[in-house]
Amino acid sequence: MPMRRLPAHRGRGARCGRPREEGSRAMKAFDYLRADTVAAAGAEATQADTRLLAGGTTLLDLIKLNVERPARVVDITRIAGLDGIAVSSNAIRIGALAKMSKVADHADIKAAAPALSESLWRAASAQLRNMASIGGNLMQRTRCMYFRDPGAYPNCNKRTPGSGCAALNGVNRNHAVLGTSEACIAIYPGDFAVALVAFDAKVIVQGATERSIPVDEFFLLPGQTPHLETRLAPAEMIVGVEVPRSAVLQRSHYLKVRDRASYEFAAASAAVGIEMEPDGKTIREVRIAVGGIATKPWRLRAVEAALKGKTLDEATLRAAAAATADGAKSSGHNAFKIDLAPKVVARALMTVGGIA
């Protein structure tokens, strides 16, 4: 089984190279391995406390913060054939190791799937987009400050199951209002997955065999087990994503509203697409998903159903978008998201619909 084991690497703390002192938990030593095949990476991933390394833009942060304390890190960046981008007449296939920047700038994806491209180039900084992989982007973990600071906040059910959720009664402005539970209100932070959910994409994973999982089913609601975030089995890894091509995807848009103009996570976002009837006035098909307000990328099927067959005008779009936050639950500081999200959805729909 192709695998190269390098000497153990000892991590160092996040501050000036010094070990972190919080709770006397300096970053621990870990084995660093390189996998040359998906099978080798999967076999190693079955061992306890193992993490896969692609771009490292999330994992390395979490190791520095002592949120992740792996015994071994498996570098998968040398696995051949996982960085391709293929756009056919029926589908778009993107390899798990393709860089975010490469996908965002791909001419065929810009033409066939504007929302996919926009969701990527609106995310993070140029430097991070040049490093981060598509598979890693899907697997990124929440930016909840309580999750990311174990020294100050020991109570986090995502990090330590059964310990509680400090965010419930804490500063929770950036937390979820949809898909929450008493165990967790942390937001899924990504943009690309929101666009994938809107357009019926599938995540291709490989273990003993290859299988595909609809993106909407790939991410799990927190329930009472918020530490379980996806449907990946221990020996599986993401090898790609596949998006069916359609007229509604070709006329699509990704809108991201945030506290500052760039390099910030969404306060609310929307991936939308519209296909019109031949009369040019009636909505034949529509796709809508939102981010920045839920514990997972959130598809708005009820809003879609309310718009099909309706006339494309501002009043119709705003009326349907009002249901965006149906069932939402505020935890205090995040109540503004319930008012903001319908406005973001309506604005995204008006943009793609050509309504000023």
Side-chain angles (χ1 to χ4, degrees):
M1 183 174 292
M3 175 73 72
R4 288 197 286 169
R5 183 178 296 273
L6 279 68
H9 280 53
R10 183 174 295 276
R12 294 191 297 173
R15 296 192 181 96
C16 303
R18 297 176 182 174
R20 288 174 62 90
E21 297 177 355
E22 294 171 348
S24 299
R25 296 183 70 192
M27 194 184 299
K28 71 176 185 180
F30 57 84
D31 287 335
Y32 172 80
L33 305 92
R34 266 182 207 155
D36 297 322
T37 67
V38 173
E44 194 66 28
T46 61
Q47 298 190 44
D49 298 323
T50 297
R51 298 293 182 269
L52 301 182
L53 174 69
T57 59
T58 293
L59 179 62
L60 296 183
D61 272 352
L62 295 180
I63 289 177
K64 291 176 182 178
L65 293 167
N66 277 312
V67 173
E68 293 280 9
R69 293 172 63 82
R72 61 194 57 78
V73 172
V74 180
D75 186 337
I76 62 173
T77 59
R78 270 71 169 184
I79 299 177
L82 293 187
D83 61 350
I85 301 171
V87 180
S88 70
S89 59
N90 297 319
I92 299 168
R93 175 95 180 219
I94 304 169
L97 293 181
K99 301 300 185 185
M100 289 173 61
S101 57
K102 183 179 178 182
V103 179
D105 293 338
H106 196 281
D108 290 340
I109 289 180
K110 285 182 176 181
L116 300 187
S117 173
E118 291 167 358
S119 71
L120 289 168
W121 69 253
R122 292 182 190 278
S125 66
Q127 293 89 339
L128 286 175
R129 293 195 299 270
N130 285 336
M131 284 293 297
S133 67
I134 289 298
N137 181 273
L138 295 183
M139 293 296 291
Q140 65 182 299
R141 306 196 70 188
T142 184
R143 265 56 179 188
C144 171
M145 64 182 181
Y146 301 102
F147 168 77
R148 292 170 64 87
D149 194 344
Y153 305 106
N155 297 335
C156 174
N157 288 318
K158 266 191 183 297
R159 202 178 55 239
T160 308
S163 63
C165 177
L168 282 171
N169 297 308
V171 178
N172 48 42
R173 182 180 186 276
N174 294 322
H175 287 70
V177 295
L178 287 171
T180 61
S181 71
E182 291 303 311
C184 185
I185 59 172
I187 274 178
Y188 174 79
D191 296 293
F192 186 56
V194 177
L196 293 178
V197 163
F199 299 102
D200 300 312
K202 294 181 179 180
V203 182
I204 313 302
V205 304
Q206 186 171 326
T209 60
E210 184 176 285
R211 66 186 180 115
S212 62
I213 308 170
V215 177
D216 202 16
E217 299 174 13
F218 179 76
F219 297 100
L220 302 175
L221 290 170
Q224 296 305 306
T225 55
H227 60 292
L228 302 177
E229 297 177 348
T230 74
R231 294 193 182 279
L232 273 182
E236 290 180 325
M237 61 175 280
I238 298 173
V239 294
V241 297
E242 187 170 281
V243 191
R245 290 191 63 177
S246 63
V248 74
L249 177 59
Q250 190 164 0
R251 188 176 180 178
S252 64
H253 176 54
Y254 186 78
L255 175 63
K256 183 174 183 179
V257 174
R258 42 197 167 180
D259 289 336
R260 59 186 182 192
S262 60
Y263 310 151
E264 180 63 284
F265 295 97
S269 66
V272 304
I274 291 178
E275 179 187 2
M276 302 299 294
E277 295 286 0
D279 64 11
K281 300 177 182 179
T282 307
I283 299 171
R284 170 181 287 180
E285 192 61 78
V286 61
R287 294 284 187 272
I288 311 167
V290 289
I293 68 170
T295 55
K296 59 177 276 187
W298 201 261
R299 180 79 175 265
L300 296 179
R301 297 184 187 275
V303 179
E304 294 172 359
L307 286 171
K308 290 179 183 179
K310 299 296 178 59
T311 300
L312 178 64
D313 58 46
E314 181 175 349
T316 299
L317 296 179
R318 288 193 182 278
T324 294
D326 280 1
K329 181 180 179 181
S330 164
S331 300
H333 303 98
N334 58 358
F336 77 99
K337 289 178 178 281
I338 297 174
D339 295 324
L340 175 63
K343 298 173 183 176
V344 173
V345 170
R347 180 176 152 196
L349 288 167
M350 286 190 287
T351 298
V352 80
I355 299 173

